[in-house]
Every structure is written in structure tokens, then in C-alpha cells.
């Protein structure tokens, strides 16, 4: 086991997903390796968010296999069969995956610091005193040490998103998922959030990022994947995918975005 | 040069005198209503049938206080049952399990669809329908426990049962509306931290739903306080039951009803104070709640600033 090359953190093979008659994912193949930053780009409605949500089982896949850390998302493989997991065990696995949302989704009734320590206290059952110090460190890391006692409604969008990142980091996740983390922000606030994400990438965090920030993808991503109509049509180093796209869908999308 | 009379003053003058509009209509209307109210009150208060000495005699009588204690107990215990049961029924109605959903829906349908007065009488006379209550294993003859219904359920307990079970139906609708008012993104954020559905409900959804739940629950408490008077039909030992027992003997119906009304007014007035405080507490972190937090302090500041 130990001599084998490190298994991919995410290993998607032919993942399909429909909402009623609307087939949204038509066979997604994607690998994300430890320490990699993979940026997922594509037109609206192509299924990027849906795929991301499948990875931490906010949506259930209909076909194919989706492995995180070698384990089927939402299932356990025993005696050649996939047994569906209980809610409790699904929750335990989700705790290993952080997620950052387009609309932040901070808990409005808790301060920035309380938001950050909520996961460790409730899910990991650490004592509040133990995690407060670490919570402050995380807020410091995203540049918000002085706003620990502010409520989300008293923070700017960029500050809220940075608290949301600190909240995800507090669980010490193996993997961070970002769903268009800067799309809801005023243009002048985008930079501060991307800076935090760049730091995380430098520190070796494994990240799957849905984004329209082509500049960020080009600079930070190890792999850029372009998605259209429920399939990944093109994937590779960002310089290749973004600067010399081979597929016609990628070319027309980039021509519109840039 | 001073302007001649009738000539307009300099429009650029920053210190022109201001004449406020006099609201003559308002003044006249206010005067009429005041006179009518005063003459009504004088007539009522002076009516010899009102018998103020009797009101005074019973206002602080031990029997009145015993009734008040029962009324308050019924109100709070009934609300406690209503809130706890309401959360359970609301969660059942929102659950993915169709059996739970249907049973919860039926419950709300029955208890909201029938008059509370009938429900109270029903529980009060349960002994007539079901003389003995038996706890056993269904479809066998094994009996674990059996007792007379009337000894098991005295009138006050029947009253509490009626009020509480009825309140669950209304409470569950309020809680359900509160839960549904919480943004779905909140549930997703809680789930992706690894919270179980129960943790998500307790730590994230319910605290935020409270903001929507507390104001109508406050109203429910006031309604419950006044509804307790209905349990007098089964002699529930509450305030009205006790006073009714008195006027059944001395026929001083009106003075004793005034005693009851005075106490209900006192209690309803007192009840609005904790309601305000709860609303502030659960408004935490919501934009604008800092403004609502201290209305008096703010009014005072505005007033000072104006002087
Ligand atoms: N819960 C749902 N129920 C039904 N249809 C859904 C649901 N979620 C997404 N869809 C549909 O799936 C398709 C893909 O949506 P998705 O949000 O994954 O796209 P996206 O690539 O993230 O787009 P965007 O860039 O606009 O965020 C859309 O047609 C959408 O209407
Ligand atoms: Mg999306």
C-alpha cells in the first residue's frame, strides 16, 4: 500500500446526474491529486456547481463512480457491493471536505469567530476554549484578526467570504471546494479573496475551484478543466487549455470571457 | 430698508419665521371622543349594580390567587407542550418520510379544524367515553397497567391536555413557517461542515427560525392566557372557574367578571415585556436589529439632539 503512488483525492469516472428529464452531467471524468489546484471553467448551466455538489454529496449521482480519498461518495464498498451510507456517516465524511459558496452562507446569528469555531465545536466536539485560539489564528490568516466579534451583516462581501474560507479551514479538510467564490463580489473586493486562495494553494491545499476568473486559473491552477453540456471537453495545464484551446467550445467561451 | 406690509420678504433670508399648520379637525375629533368616553366611564363606574366593594373584596382574595396560579400554570405548561410538540410536528411535516408527513398533517387538520371548546369538553369528559385507561401489549391479553380515567385525569390535567394538544397544531404551523423562512444555503453550509441533520436543525436552522417564530408565539401565549378561561366549562380550577363558583352562590356576576378582567388585563400587559426582549435576542446579527434594540435610548438621544 505505502509504496503505491498517492491515490487521487477526487477520482470521477463517468459520473452522470439528472434532474428529472434534464440530464446535467453526462459522464464526468476528472482526477484531482493531493496538493493540486484544479480550476473548472465553463458556460452557465454546464453543470459545474452540480458536479461540485456531488463531490460532498449535497447531490446524489445517478451513474458512474465518484471516489474521494478512494471511497465512494455516499457509499461503502463491501463484498463487491455498494452499500448506501447512513446520514451520520455521510456527515462524518463531509467533515473532511470544505466548501466555500458563491453567496458565503455564513451563519448570520454568530460572529465571525463563532462561525469559524462552530464546526470544530459541534462536529469534532472540541471544547470551545481549545478552539478559540485556533479560530483567531485562522481569522488572522485571512486578514481579519480585528473583526473576530463582528456579525456577518457588519462585514463586506469580501470579508464575509474570507471568514467563510476560515470556517472551512477550521475543520482541517483534506480538500476544499469553491463554487464561484468571487462571483457575488464587487470587482474591487475580488482581489482580497483570490489572495487568500493563492496563499492556500501555495501551502499545498488540494482545491477544486469553479471560477470565471481566467487570470487566477492561469496563474494558480495546476490543471484547468473546461466543461460544457455536462462533460469535460478539455483538460490540461492552464497555459494549454486557456491560451491554446483545441476544442471549439473552449475557444468560443474564452473569446467571450476575455 | 424695511419691506412694506404685504410685500414678500427676501426669499434668500435663511431665518424666515415658520408658522406650523394648526390641525383644527384633529382637535375637534379628539374632544368629541374624549367627552363621549368620559360620560361612558362615569355612567359605568357610577352604576350601583357594579358593586365596587365586591370587586375590591375579591380582587385579592386567596381564591382569586389560587385561580391565577392555575391560569398561569395552564398557560405556561400549555405553551411548553405546544412549542416542544410544535417543533416535533413541524419537523415531521417537513420530513422526507411520507407516513410522518401524513400523520402530522392529519393532526394539524383535526386540532385546528375543531373548536377548542369542544376539545376541552372532550378531554374533560374522557372518562365517559373511555372509563379505564389500559396499558398493554396490542392484540394480546397482557395488561401492564390499568386505572380509572377520572382518577388518572383530574379536571386541571384534562384542561392542560386540551390546551397543550391544541397548541401543538398552531405551534407547528408557526415553527414550520419559521424553518422554511431560513435560507437553504444555511443548511448546505451546516451540512458541508459535517453536521448531522439533527445538529443542523438545532445549531443553525432553529436559532434563525426563532426570529420568525417568536413574535407569533408571543401572540399565541397571550391567546392561550385568555383561552384558559374556557376550561371553566370543565371546572378546571382556573381563575374564571373559581370566580364562577362564587357568583353561582351570591349572583354577583358582573363584579366578579370585572375582577377576572382586571387580572387578565394585568397579565396580558406584563406578558408583552418578555416578548419584546426575546425578539431582540433572536434578532442578533440581523441588519437593522441594532436600531430596534433600544428604542427608548434612541428616542432619548434624538430628543436631546433636537434641544
Ligand atoms: N436542484 C436542482 N433541481 C433541478 N434542476 C437543477 C437543480 N440544480 C441545478 N439544476 C439544473 O442543472 C443545470 C446545471 O446547473 P449548474 O448549477 O450545475 O450549472 P453551472 O455550470 O454551475 O452554472 P452557473 O455558471 O450558472 O453557476 C441547470 O440547467 C440547472 O437548471
Ligand atoms: Mg454554478
Amino acid at each position: 500500500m505505502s509504496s503505491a503512488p498517492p491515490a487521487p483525492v477526487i477520482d470521477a469516472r463517468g459520473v452522470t446526474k439528472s434532474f428529472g428529464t434534464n440530464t446535467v452531467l453526462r459522464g464526468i471524468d476528472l482526477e484531482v491529486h493531493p496538493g493540486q489546484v484544479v480550476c473548472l471553467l465553463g458556460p452557465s448551466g454546464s453543470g459545474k456547481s452540480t458536479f461540485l455538489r456531488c463531490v460532498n454529496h449535497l447531490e446524489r449521482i445517478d451513474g458512474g463512480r465518484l471516489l474521494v480519498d478512494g471511497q465512494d461518495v455516499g457509499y461503502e464498498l463491501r463484498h463487491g457491493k455498494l452499500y448506501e451510507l447512513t446520514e451520520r456517516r455521510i456527515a462524518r465524511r463531509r467533515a473532511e471536505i470544505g466548501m466555500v459558496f458563491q453567496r458565503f452562507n455564513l451563519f448570520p446569528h454568530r460572529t465571525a469567530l463563532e462561525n469559524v469555531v462552530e464546526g470544530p465545536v459541534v462536529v469534532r466536539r472540541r471544547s470551545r476554549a481549545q478552539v478559540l485560539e485556533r479560530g483567531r489564528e485562522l481569522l488572522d490568516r485571512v486578514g481579519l484578526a480585528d473583526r473576530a466579534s463582528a456579525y456577518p451583516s457588519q462585514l463586506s462581501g469580501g470579508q464575509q467570504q474570507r471568514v467563510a474560507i476560515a470556517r472551512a479551514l477550521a475543520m482541517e479538510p483534506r480538500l476544499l471546494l469553491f463554487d464561484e467564490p468571487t462571483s457575488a463580489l464587487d470587482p474591487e473586493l475580488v482581489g482580497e479573496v483570490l489572495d487568500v486562495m493563492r496563499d492556500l494553494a501555495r501551502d499545498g491545499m488540494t482545491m477544486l475551484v469553479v471560477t470565471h476568473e481566467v487570470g487566477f486559473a492561469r496563474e494558480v491552477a495546476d490543471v484547468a478543466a473546461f466543461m460544457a453540456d455536462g462533460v469535460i471537453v478539455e483538460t490540461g495545464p492552464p497555459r494549454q487549455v486557456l491560451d491554446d484551446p483545441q476544442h471549439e467550445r473552449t475557444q468560443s467561451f474564452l473569446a467571450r470571457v476575455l | 430698508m424695511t419691506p412694506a406690509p404685504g410685500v414678500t420678504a427676501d426669499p434668500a433670508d435663511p431665518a424666515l419665521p415658520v408658522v406650523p399648520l394648526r390641525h383644527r379637525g384633529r382637535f375637534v375629533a379628539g374632544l368629541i371622543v374624549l367627552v363621549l368616553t368620559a360620560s361612558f366611564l362615569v355612567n359605568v363606574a357610577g352604576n350601583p349594580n357594579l358593586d365596587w366593594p365586591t370587586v375590591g373584596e375579591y380582587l385579592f382574595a386567596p381564591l382569586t390567587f389560587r385561580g391565577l396560579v392555575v391560569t398561569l400554570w395552564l398557560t405556561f405548561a400549555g405553551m411548553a407542550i405546544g412549542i416542544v410538540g410544535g417543533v416535533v410536528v413541524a419537523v415531521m411535516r417537513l420530513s422526507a418520510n411520507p407516513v410522518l408527513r401524513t400523520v402530522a398533517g392529519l393532526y394539524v387538520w383535526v386540532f385546528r379544524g375543531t373548536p377548542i371548546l369542544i376539545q376541552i369538553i372532550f378531554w374533560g369528559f374522557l372518562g365517559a367515553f373511555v372509563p379505564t385507561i389500559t396499558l398493554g401489549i396490542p392484540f394480546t391479553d397482557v395488561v401492564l397497567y390499568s386505572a380509572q380515567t377520572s382518577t388518572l385525569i383530574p379536571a386541571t390535567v384534562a384542561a392542560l391536555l386540551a390546551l397543550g394538544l391544541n397548541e401543538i397544531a398552531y405551534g407547528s404551523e408557526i415553527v414550520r413557517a419559521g424553518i422554511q423562512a431560513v435560507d437553504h444555503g444555511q443548511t448546505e453550509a451546516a451540512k458541508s461542515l459535517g453536521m448531522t441533520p439533527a445538529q443542523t436543525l438545532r445549531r443553525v436552522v432553529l436559532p434563525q427560525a426563532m426570529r420568525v417564530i417568536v413574535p407569533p408565539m408571543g401572540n399565541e401565549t397571550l391567546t392561550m392566557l385568555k383561552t384558559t378561561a374556557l376550561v371553566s366549562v370543565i371546572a378546571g380550577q382556573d381563575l374564571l372557574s373559581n370566580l364562577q363558583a362564587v357568583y353561582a352562590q351570591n349572583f354577583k356576576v358582573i363584579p366578579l367578571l370585572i375582577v377576572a378582567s382586571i387580572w387578565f388585563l394585568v397579565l396580558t400587559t406584563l406578558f408583552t415585556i418578555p416578548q419584546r426582549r426575546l425578539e431582540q435576542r433572536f434578532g442578533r446579527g440581523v441588519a437593522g436589529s441594532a436600531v430596534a434594540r433600544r428604542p427608548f435610548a434612541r428616542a432619548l438621544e434624538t430628543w436631546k439632539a433636537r434641544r
Side-chain angles (χ1 to χ4, degrees):
Chain A
M1 264 306 235
S2 55
S3 60
V9 180
I10 300 178
D11 187 359
R13 299 178 217 154
V15 170
T16 61
K17 167 79 190 170
S18 310
F19 292 107
T21 56
N22 178 14
T23 304
V24 176
L25 303 181
R26 300 168 187 273
I28 300 284
D29 294 299
L30 185 72
E31 284 185 12
V32 178
H33 291 274
Q36 268 190 338
V37 176
V38 175
C39 281
L40 201 53
L41 299 98
S44 180
S46 55
K48 307 180 298 290
S49 300
T50 304
F51 177 68
L52 212 61
R53 293 160 55 79
C54 287
V55 172
N56 72 347
H57 208 256
L58 289 175
E59 304 285 358
R60 189 222 292 246
I61 67 172
D62 296 335
R65 280 186 79 181
L66 179 54
L67 305 160
V68 171
D69 271 333
Q71 292 180 306
D72 287 85
V73 172
Y75 298 91
E76 184 176 44
L77 182 65
R78 270 187 283 136
H79 320 302
K81 289 184 186 143
L82 287 176
Y83 290 87
E84 203 169 344
L85 292 177
T86 61
E87 285 283 354
R88 180 171 289 275
R89 297 204 42 205
I90 290 169
R92 211 175 298 158
R93 287 206 191 161
R94 274 201 198 107
E96 308 298 324
I97 305 171
M99 186 150 187
V100 175
F101 301 86
Q102 182 174 352
R103 317 256 354 263
F104 328 134
N105 294 349
L106 288 180
F107 305 133
H109 56 307
R110 301 193 190 283
T111 64
L113 184 58
E114 286 169 348
N115 264 279
V116 174
V117 301
E118 181 72 3
V121 169
V122 175
V123 177
R124 302 254 193 252
R125 301 190 182 285
R126 303 260 162 74
S127 80
R128 191 167 287 273
Q130 240 181 329
V131 293
L132 279 180
E133 194 186 343
R134 165 112 180 102
R136 288 214 177 78
E137 279 170 26
L138 285 169
L139 282 178
D140 189 34
R141 185 167 170 190
V142 298
L144 289 170
D146 54 333
R147 303 311 308 272
S149 55
Y151 283 97
S153 61
Q154 299 163 334
L155 298 173
S156 74
Q159 291 172 329
Q160 287 188 56
Q161 193 61 297
R162 287 185 280 151
V163 174
I165 293 172
R167 175 175 71 175
L169 289 175
M171 294 299 289
E172 291 167 358
R174 291 269 294 123
L175 165 69
L176 269 183
L177 307 173
F178 292 83
D179 192 358
E180 300 193 30
T182 58
S183 294
L185 297 178
D186 291 338
E188 73 270 22
L189 302 177
V190 168
E192 62 191 53
V193 171
L194 292 183
D195 284 345
V196 168
M197 292 169 64
R198 202 174 285 120
D199 281 350
L200 290 176
R202 200 173 300 134
D203 292 348
M205 176 61 77
T206 312
M207 296 162 44
L208 177 57
V209 185
V210 173
T211 185
H212 292 302
E213 298 288 334
V214 175
F216 175 81
R218 188 181 287 122
E219 179 200 345
V220 178
D222 300 295
V223 175
F226 182 80
M227 201 166 155
D229 291 334
V231 286
I232 291 178
V233 296
E234 194 163 354
T235 176
R239 299 245 158 251
Q240 177 192 316
V241 175
L242 300 174
D243 296 339
D244 184 22
Q246 301 303 305
H247 199 280
E248 170 264 324
R249 292 295 303 263
T250 321
Q251 289 165 357
S252 65
F253 175 77
L254 288 171
R256 258 182 293 125
V257 169
L258 291 178
Chain B
M1 196 186 101
T2 48
V7 173
T8 8
D10 175 12
D13 185 351
L16 283 178
V18 175
V19 182
L21 175 67
R22 304 216 191 275
H23 297 279
R24 293 213 176 75
R26 273 189 215 171
F27 180 77
V28 172
L31 198 67
I32 293 173
V33 170
L34 211 61
V35 168
L36 288 178
T37 311
S39 72
F40 174 77
L41 285 179
V42 167
N43 272 324
V44 169
N47 187 331
N49 291 332
L50 231 159
D51 192 3
W52 288 106
T54 307
V55 173
E57 183 187 341
Y58 283 99
L59 195 55
F60 300 106
L63 151 144
T64 306
F65 282 118
R66 278 202 303 276
L68 271 176
V69 169
V70 172
T71 288
L72 284 173
W73 178 76
L74 283 177
T75 305
F76 287 118
M79 282 311 291
I81 294 174
I83 291 169
V84 174
V87 171
V88 173
V89 173
V91 170
M92 281 170 69
R93 284 202 87 176
L94 295 169
S95 107
N97 184 331
V99 176
L100 296 190
R101 256 195 337 254
T102 311
V103 169
L106 274 175
Y107 184 95
V108 174
W109 178 66
V110 168
F111 280 86
R112 287 211 313 175
T114 55
I116 175 83
L117 185 57
I118 293 180
Q119 292 174 30
I120 290 170
I121 298 173
F122 180 87
W123 291 111
F125 288 87
L126 191 64
F129 303 109
V130 192
T132 56
I133 288 181
T134 306
L135 198 66
I137 298 170
F139 311 117
T140 68
D141 292 332
V142 182
V143 173
L144 303 173
Y145 176 81
S146 180
Q148 287 301 133
T149 304
S150 52
T151 58
L152 207 60
I153 308 183
T156 7
V157 176
L160 176 63
L161 217 54
L163 294 173
L165 293 181
N166 182 260
E167 188 54 38
I168 287 176
Y170 287 92
S172 76
E173 288 295 284
I174 292 170
V175 173
R176 185 168 71 127
I179 289 177
Q180 285 176 328
V182 177
D183 179 16
H184 192 60
Q186 292 291 309
T187 311
E188 302 208 324
K191 277 185 175 176
S192 41
L193 282 179
M195 289 194 200
T196 61
Q199 287 170 334
T200 304
L201 185 71
R202 198 163 44 80
R203 297 287 307 184
V204 176
V205 176
L206 280 183
Q208 294 182 61
M210 280 301 178
R211 210 163 44 80
V212 178
I213 291 173
V214 164
M217 276 298 182
N219 290 337
E220 284 296 304
T221 311
L222 284 183
T223 308
M224 173 70 93
L225 176 66
K226 291 176 286 177
T227 307
T228 57
L230 287 180
V231 310
S232 59
V233 296
I234 57 167
Q237 314 283 315
D238 66 305
L239 178 63
L240 187 60
S241 299
N242 285 3
L243 296 177
Q244 269 184 344
V246 176
Y247 70 62
Q249 307 248 307
N250 66 8
F251 304 108
K252 294 186 174 170
V253 179
I254 300 297
L256 286 160
L257 287 183
I258 287 197
V259 170
S261 301
I262 289 173
W263 276 114
F264 275 115
L265 274 176
V266 169
L267 292 180
T268 48
T269 308
L270 289 178
F271 271 33
T272 48
I273 296 167
Q275 189 183 358
R276 169 70 53 77
R277 305 198 64 150
L278 279 174
E279 279 173 30
Q280 283 161 10
R281 178 169 149 62
F282 288 107
R284 258 186 324 179
V286 176
S289 68
V291 178
R293 195 165 295 149
R294 305 172 67 202
F296 292 111
R298 286 190 63 87
L300 194 69
E301 265 165 39
T302 328
W303 179 70
K304 273 189 196 151
R306 236 190 265 142
R307 270 162 39 110

